Amino acid sequence: MTPWRLFFAHLRNAWLRVLLTSAGVALAVFLLTMLRTVITTLDGAVQAAGANRVVVSSAVSLFVFLPRKIEPELRSFPGVREVCDWTWFGGVYIDEKNMFARFATQPRELRAVFGDRAAGRQDILMPTEQWDAFEADRAGCIVGEDIALKYGWKPGDVIDLIGNLFPGDWHFNVRGIYRPGSGQMDGSTMFFHWDYLDENSGRRGSVSTFTLELDPGTDIAELSRAVDARFESSDHRTRTLTEAAFNQMFVSMWGNLPLLLSMIGGAVLFAAFMIALNTLLLHGQERRLEVGVLRALGFPGHTIAALFLAEGVVVCGAGGFAGVLGSHLLFNVAGVPELDRFFPTFAVLPETQVLALGISLGIGVVSGVLPAWVALRTPVLDALARR
Amino acid sequence: MLIRAREVVKSYTRGGESLRVLDRLDLDVAEGEWVALMGPSGSGKTTLLNLLGGLDVPDAGSIRVADDEIVGRSAADLAAWRSRHVGFVFQLYNLLPVLTAAQNVELPLLLTPLSRRERRAHVAAALDVVGLADRDDHLPTQLSGGQQQRVAIARAIVTDPSFLLADEPTGDLDARSAQEILALLGALRAQFGKAIVMVTHDPHAAECADRLVHLEKGAIATREALVE
């Protein structure tokens, strides 16, 4: 039988050391989950893209507009079921800190591609009467549930924006509050009528991008080549990408951030590992006599190793659990507004939590095995003689 | 004969040189006999004690305990054998400081199939034998040197081993405590018939034994019967 009383006695006796070591691991795991969540959030946007959608933007830059008049031409390509344009509005809501995405679009088309009239997955979930109200009100808008909750908006409210890309004072009537239906959509975006934007900004007739929804079985690569070839010689050359590739382009704008974050996370974890290992090794050194006595009394090596292993696993596992719990409470329950501005769908995934817990337990195993190995390699007589 | 050691050889390598600590040593210990080992430092008495207790293995020779050969066994086998047959009493007590007196005494019983209730009963009996029944919940640091050695003796006898090995059990105690420990060992031998092999530098302690064995340079120099 393993003398577990010894294990508990050591935890109780060295409670401060146990607490500090666990706290070190907890902090490392907390940082790891946060950094890992940035990566999964960015990756999630790519993964959540619709499989049968392509995005047409200017070949020059994402910040260069395309003329809306090419829409009929885009519709004419074989395999194109629906076309929906998006135009980045920018603007300021009360204060520049109140950052959320605002797009002008065609409500009917938005509904047909992403809403309740979509052929496939619904990325925007909203009651039919709210869709109808949005379509019917030229100055109407819909907002995601996250910003609606944050700013206390409800249908019938008026949102005042100060234009920057499109100067002027803009007033929008909230006609609906949507829930995201997939990872492709977040709950922090505002959509309003492109026509309202166009007639109040001097009839520019321009849009940022077109999203083309394709019939099943359409050759996406062939269609993309055909679209870009059609406008190759015009003054508004296009770049057509799958929705996934388009999302990936946004991720690429962060540079090699995922790699950088992975490296930082790895370094933090390694530091935590070294701290835990060093602490437990020192503790093991202090317990040489104890190991000698146990072995002299006849306790087998694996029983003594189990004591060390349990200590490592409990100390690091508790730290890992605390780190995961902390990140869950902070990011998934309470939320961090500063992060939400950049990553509206920022949430620690269960697989990230499992990974972080697994890593902390792994650190515990190694941190327990090594002192046990050192202790058991020491001859009994040397341990008893405190050598 | 309980212990029969024959032609025991043990060498250590120190600084690249081989040093023979025990040289073809023979020793017999009868059931219930108390043998004191004396000799100058380096004469091999503690080495002999460690070999008899299975804490170390000889280079050559035979050690039989109750007709069981212990030389040549695996480390795990030897550990299991120790737990059943040997009670150790160390000079510096070697109690675990994080455990109470009762918990220290209970440690060897965790290697037996006894239930928790049975273990408690054994621990209480052992502490009673050494006169510390009322100190069972004390930590070693809350006990005097003599009391700690008594707890160590209780730990040594709690599994009812075949014999006790005591390495200078009074070496760290004042004269009065030393006398009490020797009296306790004597009582244990008389009451339970335990054989005791004791290493000591103290001639007064050695006088308590039945037989005195002097070692010099790894061999027995003299054997002296102290009790008829």
Side-chain angles (χ1 to χ4, degrees):
Chain A
M1 185 188 289
T2 307
W4 291 114
R5 189 172 283 140
L6 255 181
F7 162 74
F8 291 113
H10 278 299
L11 287 187
R12 192 174 56 243
N13 234 35
W15 65 269
L16 186 60
R17 173 163 42 190
V18 167
L19 193 71
L20 290 175
T21 310
S22 286
V25 174
L27 188 63
V29 166
F30 177 86
L31 287 172
L32 174 79
T33 47
M34 188 176 80
L35 297 175
R36 175 82 194 148
T37 300
V38 172
I39 296 170
T40 56
T41 302
L42 293 173
D43 195 42
V46 176
Q47 300 299 328
N52 63 333
R53 293 198 290 250
V54 296
V55 178
V56 181
S57 61
S58 168
V60 179
S61 159
L62 199 57
F63 305 103
V64 173
F65 289 102
L66 289 172
R68 185 160 193 280
K69 66 184 181 191
I70 67 171
E71 193 215 349
E73 268 188 278
L74 293 172
R75 278 185 189 279
S76 69
F77 282 93
V80 175
R81 192 186 80 84
E82 187 56 86
V83 178
C84 178
D85 57 77
W86 291 42
T87 302
W88 177 256
F89 176 75
V92 176
Y93 175 64
I94 303 175
D95 189 283
E96 286 195 353
K97 284 191 295 187
N98 300 325
M99 176 77 179
F100 56 90
R102 297 133 197 164
F103 288 103
T105 185
Q106 306 292 331
R108 191 194 63 77
E109 294 166 357
L110 185 75
R111 197 172 178 179
V113 176
F114 299 97
D116 60 348
R117 291 181 188 154
R121 182 182 75 192
Q122 288 187 45
D123 297 294
I124 300 175
L125 302 173
M126 198 167 65
T128 304
E129 59 272 19
Q130 292 189 9
W131 275 113
D132 292 341
F134 177 39
E135 267 197 69
D137 183 1
R138 210 170 172 77
C141 73
I142 59 173
V143 292
E145 60 182 4
D146 292 349
I147 49 174
L149 185 70
K150 183 176 179 182
Y151 299 114
W153 294 327
K154 54 189 184 304
D157 286 354
V158 175
I159 298 174
D160 298 321
L161 296 182
I162 300 163
N164 42 25
L165 290 174
F166 300 90
D169 293 332
W170 298 80
H171 312 286
F172 302 94
N173 307 317
V174 177
R175 293 301 174 203
I177 292 169
Y178 73 84
R179 278 189 302 118
S182 74
Q184 174 64 16
M185 196 63 61
D186 59 59
S188 306
T189 302
M190 170 186 176
F191 295 99
F192 61 92
H193 288 241
W194 181 85
D195 291 337
Y196 181 63
L197 171 70
D198 195 51
E199 69 190 31
N200 289 295
S201 60
R203 297 276 178 201
R204 297 185 191 185
S206 54
V207 299
S208 297
T209 59
F210 292 97
T211 298
L212 277 51
E213 187 180 49
L214 310 178
D215 290 326
T218 305
D219 185 338
I220 293 177
E222 180 55 37
L223 177 99
S224 302
R225 273 196 296 273
V227 169
D228 292 344
R230 173 76 63 88
F231 301 105
E232 179 63 34
S233 304
S234 71
D235 57 357
H236 42 265
R237 289 187 300 117
T238 60
R239 177 161 57 168
T240 305
L241 299 169
T242 61
E243 196 169 66
F246 185 75
N247 291 346
Q248 180 67 57
M249 192 173 68
F250 271 99
V251 173
S252 305
M253 287 166 71
W254 290 88
N256 228 339
L257 186 70
L259 177 66
L260 182 66
L261 294 180
S262 298
M263 287 171 68
I264 295 171
V268 167
L269 260 190
F270 188 70
F273 169 58
M274 296 308 276
I275 290 168
L277 185 60
N278 187 46
T279 307
L280 291 169
L281 267 174
L282 281 173
H283 197 198
Q285 281 288 96
E286 290 169 10
R287 289 164 60 182
R288 282 179 70 162
L289 175 65
E290 173 187 312
V291 172
V293 170
L294 290 176
R295 289 172 69 190
L297 293 177
F299 281 91
H302 61 79
T303 301
I304 297 165
L307 287 173
F308 280 92
L309 189 64
E311 191 170 327
V313 167
V314 166
V315 169
C316 296
F321 181 76
V324 167
L325 183 67
S327 63
H328 177 77
L329 291 175
L330 184 65
F331 301 124
N332 293 6
V333 178
V336 181
E338 284 72 19
L339 266 176
D340 291 343
R341 284 171 62 192
F342 298 101
F343 307 106
T345 57
F346 194 90
V348 184
L349 299 175
E351 41 271 44
T352 300
Q353 295 173 333
V354 170
L355 177 75
L357 269 180
I359 288 175
S360 58
L361 289 175
I363 290 175
V365 169
V366 179
S367 302
V369 163
L370 204 58
W373 182 72
V374 171
L376 293 177
R377 273 190 69 226
T378 308
V380 182
L381 296 176
D382 284 355
L384 286 173
R386 298 164 170 82
R387 283 195 289 264
Chain B
M1 198 59 61
L2 178 67
I3 301 172
R4 187 183 293 271
R6 290 290 177 271
E7 304 272 306
V8 174
V9 175
K10 182 68 185 177
S11 301
Y12 290 113
T13 304
R14 297 248 167 84
E17 260 185 55
S18 180
L19 181 68
R20 182 163 281 201
V21 183
L22 293 178
D23 189 10
R24 298 165 64 89
L25 181 141
D26 293 342
L27 178 71
D28 289 335
V29 179
E31 297 263 7
E33 188 182 18
W34 185 349
V35 176
L37 300 176
M38 291 189 79
S41 293
S43 59
K45 50 192 189 304
T46 296
T47 299
L48 177 60
L49 202 73
N50 292 334
L51 294 176
L52 296 179
L55 290 175
D56 204 354
V57 289
D59 299 332
S62 161
I63 299 173
R64 298 182 77 85
V65 176
D67 283 337
D68 270 350
E69 178 63 60
I70 66 167
V71 177
R73 294 188 182 207
S74 69
D77 199 20
L78 213 47
W81 175 83
R82 276 200 304 273
S83 71
R84 290 193 304 274
H85 294 285
V86 191
F88 290 100
V89 181
F90 303 98
Q91 180 183 357
L92 295 176
Y93 334 127
N94 287 350
L95 299 176
L96 303 191
V98 294
L99 300 182
T100 64
Q103 289 167 348
N104 266 288
V105 175
E106 189 191 12
L107 268 180
L109 294 175
L110 296 176
L111 294 164
T112 68
L114 294 176
S115 68
R116 179 181 289 193
R117 180 178 295 182
E118 290 169 323
R119 290 201 305 270
R120 275 192 196 148
H122 279 66
V123 169
L127 283 172
D128 193 44
V129 165
V130 300
L132 286 176
D134 59 338
R135 297 279 196 278
D136 60 344
D137 59 347
H138 283 53
L139 291 170
T141 50
Q142 297 168 321
L143 300 172
S144 69
Q147 288 172 327
Q148 287 188 55
Q149 192 60 295
R150 285 178 191 218
V151 173
I153 291 171
R155 183 180 64 187
I157 62 170
V158 74
T159 53
D160 191 24
S162 304
F163 61 102
L164 298 181
L165 296 177
D167 190 1
E168 301 201 43
T170 58
D172 203 49
L173 299 175
D174 58 56
R176 185 175 170 177
S177 298
Q179 202 52 49
E180 286 173 0
I181 292 300
L182 291 169
L184 176 60
L185 289 174
L188 286 174
R189 202 268 312 252
Q191 194 175 346
F192 302 108
K194 298 291 169 205
I196 301 171
V197 181
M198 176 180 73
V199 166
T200 184
H201 280 111
D202 179 4
H204 296 299
E207 281 173 9
C208 296
D210 302 325
R211 188 152 57 95
L212 178 58
V213 175
H214 276 279
L215 274 77
E216 271 184 38
K217 295 181 180 173
I220 292 175
T222 61
R223 300 167 198 261
E224 189 180 337
L226 299 172
V227 178
E228 287 301 317

